[in-house]
Amino acid sequence: MTGRSSFLIVANRLPVDRTIEPDGTASWRRSPGGLVTAIAPVMQRRHGAWAGWHGAPDEKLEPFEQGGMNLIPVPLSAREVELYYEGFSNATLWPLYHDVVAPPVFEREMWEAYREVNERFANAAAEAAEEGAVVWVQDYQLQLVPAMLRRIRPDLRIGFFLHIPFPPVELFWRLPWRKDLVEGLLGADLVGFQLPGGASNFRRLCRRLLGLPYKGNEIFLDDRVVRTQAFPISVDFGQLDALVRDPNIVARAKEIRMELGDPEHVLLGVDRLDYTKGIGQRLEAFGELLKDHRLEAGEAVFVQIATPSRERVDEYRRLRDDIELQVGRINGEHAQLGYQPVWYFHQSYDHEELAALYLAADVMVVTPLRDGMNLVAKEYISCHHDLHGALVLSEFAGAADELRQAYLVNPYDVEDVKRQMVAAMRATPHELARRMRTMRRRVATYDVDRWASEFLTALESPASEPSMRRSASWRSG
Ligand code: ADQ
């Protein structure tokens, strides 16, 4: 790669995966996912670059080009993967930001590694960005980068987007390094959140922790203004909508239903195997419906796809064992020859197979205990131009703010989950179509392109003058 870039993404991972061919040669493939798709056109227009870890520890790679993107690999040692990634990011911040649904680990060694790795990302970005470039930092693994980067390169326009929830002040307060993290984020010109609630939690925290005044969306520092705002992320509606019209996908969806024994109702869950996703809660509800005979044997099957995730973190290993035990119990108690109630897959799928599964499912069950947004819910909606299909959705998923016509549930209330699952299965085609139509309109309008362009437009538009500070009230917002 030659030269510096006027537009730079900084994320924990590069948007490519390495595949090894049968003859042993390595090649890179663009990883699936909305973020890359949404940002790729901007990258091409602006000679953009992306800095991130390439996925293998203890390996230094030179910058390279792939699919029109300039990629800048940031190296991580095996120890840093353990302490910065599995440790501080996924054993400290992840549970803390998700309402402490698992106990967060507070270890100084992990924090030190997090700080050092964030410094490395900031240096890589500082080197790659041209004068006055726009730099967009992604997610909880890199919250110190905005301030570190501003210190080296005050000329840059820096944006940050948090993909997970930002917790209430009372929870964040527990973090021994709370001040460092907040100051890290305040290095950005714009801090984006999934929901207005996250943005307001952050503003309140800045006032309580650092005594900073704010007004509306703006936080006033001595010499600058930091804007905070919600930008609910979305999916590539057009691409999914076109995909499920492909006759091959339609045929595959039919085939899937036949392979499941052609039951009246196919219920589906698709998640990373994560304790925030409420997989156990929805299986419990389904198991009880069979036990109570509100569902007869053969009437409904539950397909749970659980993508392997963070398998070296203790909490995730325990979760996998728990879920697999639970699936075994339900099937043990309720299966009959020719009827298996729960089909569980601990595997990843390509997006064609996933689309066929969405199309095949009558009821999509999304029951996280806390989730920043949840793209699976929006993907399911995008796949149902037939206006068939119901979404059972947790009130604690960010997506519930937009998808009000879903069958909303409190995942902690098993009776509520059971009731709504049954309501979704028994709804008339007219009722399903009414709900689906409204939800599709929402996702089609607010797709991932719109998310990216609204964020970048806000980042590049000027904020208020710091002198506004005088009129900012300590109680406002
Ligand atoms: P995640 O916690 O990973 O994302 P989610 O938003 O549901 O959760 O995204 C998961 C993605 O992985 C979806 O696009 C889904 O299709 C895909 N996926 C899941 N299982 C799969 C499988 N078995 N095979 C292939 N693909 C699979 C975090 C936050 C979310 C937020 C997103 C984006 O936790 O709240 O919505 O970032 O900001």
Side-chain angles (χ1 to χ4, degrees):
M1 195 190 78
T2 52
R4 293 178 158 193
S5 299
S6 65
F7 178 71
L8 189 67
I9 297 284
V10 187
N12 174 57
R13 277 299 307 270
L14 282 177
V16 287
D17 297 313
R18 188 161 33 192
T19 49
I20 309 289
E21 306 299 333
D23 66 358
T25 55
S27 62
W28 295 92
R29 253 206 331 228
R30 189 156 124 178
S31 24
L35 185 60
V36 201
T37 320
I39 286 166
V42 193
M43 296 284 254
Q44 277 146 15
R45 265 201 315 275
R46 304 201 195 185
H47 179 58
W50 187 308
W53 181 44
H54 54 281
D58 296 320
E59 183 187 37
K60 278 201 173 131
L61 293 179
E62 289 304 313
F64 61 101
E65 213 188 298
Q66 168 67 34
M69 292 186 291
N70 296 314
L71 303 178
I72 304 161
V74 179
L76 292 182
S77 68
R79 193 179 138 78
E80 284 165 344
V81 173
E82 191 185 326
L83 296 175
Y84 143 80
Y85 179 69
E86 293 162 354
F88 200 76
S89 298
N90 289 322
T92 308
L93 295 174
W94 180 268
L96 183 71
Y97 282 31
H98 286 88
D99 282 0
V100 199
V101 296
V105 173
F106 296 115
E107 276 187 23
R108 282 164 285 185
E109 232 189 346
M110 292 179 176
W111 162 251
E112 279 308 317
Y114 183 84
R115 220 176 36 74
E116 280 168 27
V117 169
N118 271 245
E119 191 94 57
R120 189 172 311 142
F121 274 83
N123 288 333
E127 243 172 68
E130 68 174 43
E131 179 72 23
V134 169
V135 181
W136 189 1
V137 183
Q138 307 285 329
D139 226 358
Y140 64 102
Q141 303 92 349
L142 300 177
Q143 291 174 91
L144 303 179
V145 169
M148 289 171 165
L149 184 55
R150 180 171 296 279
R151 222 167 288 137
I152 327 173
R153 292 287 307 274
D155 58 296
L156 301 175
R157 193 95 190 138
I158 305 171
F160 179 93
F161 184 76
L162 185 70
H163 291 256
I164 66 175
F166 194 82
V169 174
E170 295 69 27
L171 289 183
F172 191 88
W173 210 254
R174 298 183 192 183
L175 194 67
W177 309 280
R178 58 198 184 199
K179 205 157 165 266
D180 307 68
L181 276 181
V182 174
E183 286 172 348
L185 289 171
L186 286 171
D189 296 289
L190 171 66
V191 186
F193 300 87
Q194 300 276 24
L195 300 183
S200 94
N201 284 346
F202 180 68
R203 289 190 294 265
R204 258 185 255 138
L205 180 66
C206 289
R207 185 176 61 195
R208 234 178 97 184
L209 193 60
L210 303 174
L212 294 172
Y214 64 88
K215 186 175 187 188
N217 281 336
E218 298 182 323
I219 302 174
F220 297 87
L221 276 59
D222 284 340
D223 54 346
R224 319 185 281 121
V225 174
V226 178
R227 200 166 332 150
T228 55
Q229 203 176 313
F231 300 90
I233 200 168
S234 192
V235 296
D236 190 342
F237 180 90
Q239 192 228 331
L240 285 164
D241 182 53
L243 186 60
V244 288
R245 294 173 199 261
D246 176 337
N248 292 323
I249 303 289
V250 176
R252 177 66 190 138
K254 286 208 178 99
E255 191 176 66
I256 289 171
R257 290 190 72 99
M258 294 315 286
E259 284 168 353
L260 293 170
D262 197 21
E264 202 174 318
H265 307 287
V266 174
L267 291 83
L268 175 68
V270 174
D271 315 76
R272 268 188 315 97
L273 187 49
D274 194 294
Y275 52 80
T276 59
K277 301 290 182 183
I279 300 170
Q281 279 74 2
R282 77 184 72 135
L283 288 175
E284 185 184 354
F286 183 69
E288 286 194 14
L289 287 176
L290 292 167
K291 193 179 249 158
D292 304 345
H293 298 288
R294 286 169 75 186
L295 284 177
E296 290 313 320
E299 188 184 349
V301 300
F302 201 112
V303 180
Q304 177 63 53
I305 315 277
T307 322
S309 180
R310 305 175 191 168
E311 294 186 292
R312 287 162 25 133
V313 180
D314 285 347
E315 211 52 58
Y316 288 76
R317 273 201 291 258
R318 277 197 291 277
L319 172 76
R320 180 174 175 190
D321 289 346
D322 290 349
I323 297 294
E324 292 179 0
L325 191 69
Q326 199 182 0
V327 170
R329 286 224 171 104
I330 299 174
N331 282 339
E333 281 169 25
H334 302 288
Q336 296 180 359
L337 285 174
Y339 171 58
Q340 181 182 318
V342 181
W343 297 64
Y344 166 80
F345 303 89
H346 185 244
Q347 295 161 32
S348 272
Y349 291 95
D350 59 34
H351 69 292
E352 281 91 1
E353 181 70 358
L354 216 48
L357 278 157
Y358 287 140
L359 189 58
D362 304 295
V363 182
M364 184 78 218
V365 190
V366 181
T367 52
L369 305 173
R370 175 58 77 198
D371 213 332
M373 177 54 58
N374 196 289
L375 296 178
V376 166
K378 292 186 173 180
E379 287 165 3
Y380 179 74
I381 298 299
S382 310
C383 288
H384 278 276
H385 62 89
D386 58 5
L387 303 185
H388 173 74
L391 174 65
V392 173
L393 178 63
S394 164
E395 294 163 350
F396 302 113
D401 266 30
E402 294 170 81
L403 305 177
R404 305 304 300 169
Q405 294 72 25
Y407 290 84
L408 294 172
V409 294
N410 171 0
Y412 292 95
D413 178 353
V414 65
E415 287 303 329
D416 190 31
V417 180
K418 285 161 70 180
R419 203 179 315 117
Q420 294 291 62
M421 275 181 175
V422 170
M425 283 184 269
R426 307 275 184 254
T428 62
H430 176 75
E431 174 65 8
L432 293 178
R434 186 185 67 78
R435 291 174 182 249
M436 186 60 84
R437 198 175 290 118
T438 313
M439 292 193 284
R440 280 176 65 78
R441 214 172 290 136
R442 172 76 204 187
V443 182
T445 312
Y446 290 88
D447 66 355
V448 71
D449 270 347
R450 179 138 176 193
W451 169 77
S453 63
E454 284 189 355
F455 185 94
L456 290 171
T457 305
L459 177 58
E460 291 176 276
S461 63
S464 312
E465 289 298 307
S467 58
M468 282 286 293
R469 178 185 178 131
R470 265 171 269 130
S471 64
S473 146
W474 288 77
R475 277 182 228 287
S476 60

